[in-house]
Every structure is written in structure tokens, then in C-alpha cells.
Amino acid sequence: MYNVKRAELSRTAYLPNQLINDSRKGIAFVGRSNVGKSSLMNVLINTKIAKVSSTPGKTRSINYFLVNDKDYFIDLPGYGYARRSESELRKWEKLMTEFFSDDEKLSMLFMLIDSRHSLIKADFVFLEWIIQFQIPIAIILTKTDKLSTQKIQIAIKETREKIQPFGDFEIFPFSSTKRKGIKELMNFIGAVLK
Ligand code: GTP
Ligand code: MG
């Protein structure tokens, strides 16, 4: 079980030269705009430091939260937000390519998927792109408070089938609102950041 004692925002990177390059371990969170990344991070690190908004595409930077003076929990800018310009998309790809190409590999990339929709086109596009970096991936199904227990099971099964061609990733159902799934996820994070 990973136990968060301290957390602080240690860097906000908009440009490749602002990325952190040290030997600390890191886990990162990515997903479509509005999927609930910042909310989840706030729940996990028990503070209100990751910005939450109902306006999609709010997080445009890479935000590094230093946890227990030891590990980075990293909030990545969302993808698949239609109302972004070509130049913004190129900026996103350049920043993310630099980020994922780092020699100090991420310990785990958590890909967040809305439990109500499972994977959609934008998620597949991202998966096909990210696979080249050979980073370990786990899936978090967000906003499960919007589904019945039975529907959550169906969503897990459907997601497992859809990601199967890409790998045998762990899947964690999660709700920030109802604070469900925290223990299972923190157990996993504890093992990953050991
Ligand atoms: P971007 O930074 O824009 O990419 O969004 P994000 O993925 O960081 O999402 P964020 O955490 O800002 O949440 C987006 C919206 O979803 C907000 O209105 C949240 O209140 C809502 N939300 C987040 N998590 C949950 C959840 O577990 N349940 C429900 N019902 N709503 C949630
Ligand atoms: Mg966000």
C-alpha cells in the first residue's frame, strides 16, 4: 500500500526543455480531456493541488507532483479534445514525445478511460502511438459512480476485450466522487514504486 505523507507541485512543464530529468521514479496519468485525471490525482495525493474543471482541455501542461520527497505523480495533458488547433496538437505531440522518450523510464503509465464509454477512437489512436515507447501501462476506469455494480462489471469486461490486442493490462475501476477503488489502486502503486 502506497502511503502519501507529503505532496507538492514541483514543476509545470509547457515545453520540452522544462521537463524534469532526474533519477526519481515516476508514474503518470493520461487520458481524454475531462476523463477525470486531475480529480483522481487530487484523491490519490489527498490535496486540492491538481486543477479540476468542467471545461475540457484544462490541463495543457505536464504537472509533476513530488510525493513523499521521493516519487513523481505526473498529470499529463489530455488528448482527443476536438477543439484544438493544429499547432496545439503538434505542441502536444512534441512535448509528449520528449516526455516518453526519457531514458529514465516511467514506472507505470495509467491510462484513464471513462467507464461509461469504455475505449473510443481517440483512446485507440493514443494506444497505437504510445506502444512504441514500451512503457508499462495500466487502465483506470473512471466515474464508476455513474454506473450500477453490474454495469461496472460489463465495462471491465468490454475494456479488457478492447485492450487485449495491445497487452494484458491491469484494470482498476475508480470513482473520485464516491472515493471508490482507492485501496486497490494504492496497493498497486505501492508495488510499482517499491
Ligand atoms: P482535463 O485536464 O481537461 O483533461 O480534464 P481531467 O481529465 O483532468 O478531468 P477533471 O478531473 O478536471 O474532471 C472533469 C470533470 O469530471 C469535472 O467536472 C469533474 O467534477 C468530473 N469528475 C471527475 N471525476 C469524477 C468522478 O469520479 N465521478 C463523477 N461523477 N464526476 C467526476
Ligand atoms: Mg486535468
Side-chain angles (χ1 to χ4, degrees):
M1 177 68 120
Y2 195 90
N3 185 13
V4 175
K5 295 181 210 102
R6 278 180 303 281
E8 59 185 289
L9 176 63
S10 111
R11 177 85 58 89
T12 296
Y14 290 91
L15 299 166
N17 66 10
Q18 296 167 332
L19 295 171
I20 290 183
N21 230 320
D22 64 26
S23 57
R24 289 193 174 104
K25 286 186 179 174
I27 54 173
F29 300 85
V30 74
R32 276 199 297 137
S33 291
N34 225 32
V35 71
K37 288 180 298 293
S38 299
S39 303
L40 173 132
M41 295 197 64
N42 281 328
V43 169
L44 293 190
I45 58 190
N46 224 338
T47 81
K48 277 276 183 313
I49 45 186
K51 266 205 197 90
V52 174
S53 152
S54 53
T55 319
K58 190 78 188 166
T59 313
R60 304 227 165 170
S61 51
I62 293 180
N63 300 312
Y64 295 83
F65 298 95
L66 182 60
V67 179
N68 297 345
D69 302 315
K70 183 167 99 40
D71 307 305
Y72 290 117
F73 282 42
I74 306 160
D75 190 5
L76 296 173
Y79 55 77
Y81 179 51
R83 259 182 287 163
R84 268 196 194 162
S85 67
E86 270 296 312
S87 83
E88 271 180 305
L89 283 176
R90 269 198 300 275
K91 259 194 193 156
W92 180 93
E93 184 163 354
K94 190 152 182 281
L95 184 63
M96 296 287 264
T97 300
E98 283 291 325
F99 177 78
F100 288 118
S101 306
D102 194 340
D103 293 336
E104 304 286 343
K105 288 279 185 224
L106 272 182
S107 297
M108 189 63 62
L109 175 67
F110 289 96
M111 191 174 160
L112 278 64
I113 305 284
D114 192 319
S115 60
R116 293 167 297 179
H117 314 302
S118 189
L119 280 81
I120 64 157
K121 180 88 195 295
D123 300 311
F124 286 109
V125 171
F126 179 79
L127 261 176
E128 266 152 28
W129 178 78
I130 193 68
I131 221 86
Q132 63 179 304
F133 299 102
Q134 300 191 315
I135 291 160
I137 295 173
I139 306 287
I140 299 174
L141 287 176
T142 63
K143 309 190 187 184
T144 56
D145 52 283
K146 303 263 195 184
L147 296 179
S148 65
T149 314
Q150 196 197 355
K151 287 257 171 69
I152 294 171
Q153 292 313 313
I154 294 170
I156 293 171
K157 189 165 172 278
E158 188 185 338
T159 303
R160 183 160 292 128
E161 285 167 7
K162 285 183 174 176
I163 58 163
Q164 228 277 306
F166 300 92
D168 201 7
F169 309 143
E170 295 280 341
I171 301 173
F172 297 94
F174 194 89
S175 165
S176 298
T177 323
K178 292 272 168 69
R179 303 182 62 86
K180 287 245 175 81
I182 302 175
K183 224 177 83 196
E184 292 78 2
L185 188 54
M186 279 310 210
N187 267 332
F188 184 70
I189 290 174
V192 162
L193 292 175
K194 201 169 57 208

